[in-house]
Amino acid sequence: MGVQLGGRTRLAYLLAPVYLRDAAADSAFPPSAYFESKPYIGERFIEENTAIAWLRENIADD
């Protein structure tokens, strides 16, 4: 579906800051390299505004 829309699907994970300090949270979320061959990309955020801005970026660049 991402190809039909002209880019990759983006998944923004909005987390409480305490989860980003947890080593278990780091191991539960794949590193950026994991998404390179996928039709989607994911990123973690602690601020909603930052997540929304990232979701609105030009996905044609991905």
Side-chain angles (χ1 to χ4, degrees):
M1 182 167 200
V3 175
Q4 294 171 345
L5 297 175
R8 294 167 71 194
T9 300
R10 290 179 172 228
L11 306 169
Y13 296 90
L14 190 58
L15 305 171
V18 68
Y19 290 118
L20 291 180
R21 292 183 288 168
D22 187 343
D26 276 346
S27 64
F29 189 83
S32 297
Y34 171 82
F35 296 105
E36 289 177 5
S37 63
K38 307 288 186 222
Y40 55 88
I41 187 168
E43 188 62 66
R44 296 178 289 181
F45 298 92
I46 58 172
E47 295 179 357
E48 184 178 6
N49 290 339
T50 307
I52 291 171
W54 181 77
L55 288 169
R56 289 182 174 171
E57 285 178 8
N58 184 355
I59 62 173
D61 292 340
D62 286 338

